Amino acid sequence: MRITEAAQRLGTSPRMLRYRDLLGLIPPVREATPTADRAPSGRPRGHRRFGDDDLAAVAQALRIEQRYDISPAALAFGLKVLTEPGARADVAELGRRLRRIAPPPARALDFEQERARRLLRLPAGTGRGSPVPGGGPSGTQRR
């Protein structure tokens, strides 16, 4: 179906559907379009046809936006964070700095060192290079 009919079915405007398409909130056109038939932006020229899958995706996006009170641009950014590792890392770092996300779990070696300290009942400041009571290179010799 054409954009006008799709917009009517979704209760939105053709302009809003075009905006959502620019944001990447509508599945890409699956038809192979020769390079000569593309606009300078790389998008296919002519009229886009909307299928049932396209309408279902837009309807789901509309529900998410309404449920969480966010804009289409915010939803598009959320998808970018989920799909681009760099964006995900940057947003996670910001979340940690704002103390909205817990710091990453300690490294496995740190966990094992802490476990060994607990078993040996050593103070937390004792670690590599520190004298170990009862032996080791910096302590008394072993027999």
Side-chain angles (χ1 to χ4, degrees):
M1 76 190 71
R2 295 181 76 168
I3 193 167
T4 305
E5 184 182 348
Q8 287 174 346
R9 281 193 182 186
L10 292 165
T12 189
S13 68
R15 184 176 181 183
M16 184 55 96
L17 284 181
R18 288 185 194 97
Y19 175 61
R20 290 173 175 288
D21 193 22
L22 287 173
L23 291 173
L25 293 176
I26 296 178
V29 178
R30 291 177 290 279
E31 303 163 2
T33 304
T35 306
D37 293 340
R38 293 184 178 270
S41 67
R43 302 180 85 74
R45 292 184 191 267
H47 299 285
R48 178 189 174 119
R49 296 287 182 179
F50 288 81
D52 291 337
D53 289 343
D54 299 327
L55 294 181
V58 174
Q60 183 177 14
L62 289 167
R63 285 191 301 273
I64 292 169
E65 291 163 14
Q66 187 174 31
R67 180 177 183 184
Y68 296 104
D69 192 26
I70 60 173
S71 68
L75 181 57
F77 181 70
L79 288 171
K80 183 175 187 168
V81 168
L82 290 173
T83 59
E84 294 182 18
R88 184 181 200 129
D90 289 344
V91 170
E93 177 60 26
L94 174 62
R96 285 189 286 277
R97 287 176 183 254
L98 297 174
R99 294 183 181 95
R100 292 183 66 183
I101 297 175
R107 295 186 340 234
L109 180 59
D110 294 340
F111 172 79
E112 290 299 328
Q113 285 177 345
E114 183 60 33
R115 183 172 162 232
R117 282 190 198 104
R118 279 195 312 267
L119 291 172
L120 296 171
R121 298 176 195 255
L122 297 176
T126 309
R128 274 193 179 167
S130 300
V132 179
S138 58
T140 60
Q141 291 185 343
R142 294 180 187 203
R143 293 182 189 223

